[in-house]
Amino acid sequence: MVAAMVVLTPTVIRTQSASWTIGWSAILLGAVAVLLLLVLAERLTPPPDRPEPRDLPEA
């Protein structure tokens, strides 16, 4: 979805409609922000097969 919006953005900007351009930009930025948050959450979440450090036996 984001890739399609990036491709279509020049067409929307050329429409000379300020409300359309502002709305389109807001949706595009929101979608990018959601994708970045999903990537961040995936990086911060430990993999399910790795035990938590507090669950490991003391050496």
Side-chain angles (χ1 to χ4, degrees), residues 31-56:
V32 169
V34 167
L35 287 175
L36 290 174
L37 286 173
L38 288 173
V39 168
L40 180 65
E42 184 179 343
R43 284 187 172 267
L44 294 177
T45 305
D49 58 344
R50 194 173 93 201
E52 291 290 324
R54 64 176 180 267
D55 295 336
L56 295 175

Side-chain angles (χ1 to χ4, degrees), residues 17-35:
S17 173
S19 61
W20 249 93
T21 304
I22 291 170
W24 185 271
S25 300
I27 293 170
L28 178 60
L29 291 174
V32 169
V34 167
L35 287 175

